[in-house]
Amino acid sequence: SLRNDVLPILTNSCAFSSCHGGINSPTNNGVYLGTQTGTPDLPALHMSVLAKAVSYDMPVVTPGDPSNSFLMHKMDGDACMVCKNLCGESMPQSSPVLSVDRRDTVRRWIAQGAKNN
């Protein structure tokens, strides 16, 4: 589920004030995860991840299709293969990619339809 499985992974890795934990952060690209101690408006977060990514014409998350989800490319560290070097760093920024099991949790959520649950 977004709330129980995916959000904790993203919050622990990406909800810093300089990234997706700053509501007005210039680097959050419209995806606000709340802070490490407070959760975001879940419906608003869900809508933001279904929007198109800023760097190129691919949704942040394509429900049912992790391979066409910008989020997975950023998390897997291979975004430049699809964004032609306009995508910035992998996520989490300035850190090694997340463990395979954490990325696979997010990948499964997307594959199962990226529901707001």
Side-chain angles (χ1 to χ4, degrees), residues 40-69:
D41 174 354
L42 204 57
L45 170 61
H46 187 253
M47 290 299 293
S48 71
V49 299
L50 297 179
K52 288 193 176 176
V54 174
S55 304
Y56 60 100
D57 196 27
M58 179 184 281
V60 175
V61 168
T62 302
D65 192 354
S67 66
N68 279 315
S69 297

Side-chain angles (χ1 to χ4, degrees), residues 62-101:
T62 302
D65 192 354
S67 66
N68 279 315
S69 297
F70 184 64
L71 175 63
M72 289 314 312
H73 288 287
K74 289 287 276 190
M75 291 178 74
D76 288 337
D78 67 359
C80 287
M81 294 174 63
V82 294
C83 75
K84 299 167 184 63
N85 295 317
L86 300 172
C87 53
E89 293 183 53
S90 63
M91 293 190 310
Q93 189 175 21
S94 301
S95 298
V97 295
L98 295 175
S99 65
V100 171
D101 64 319

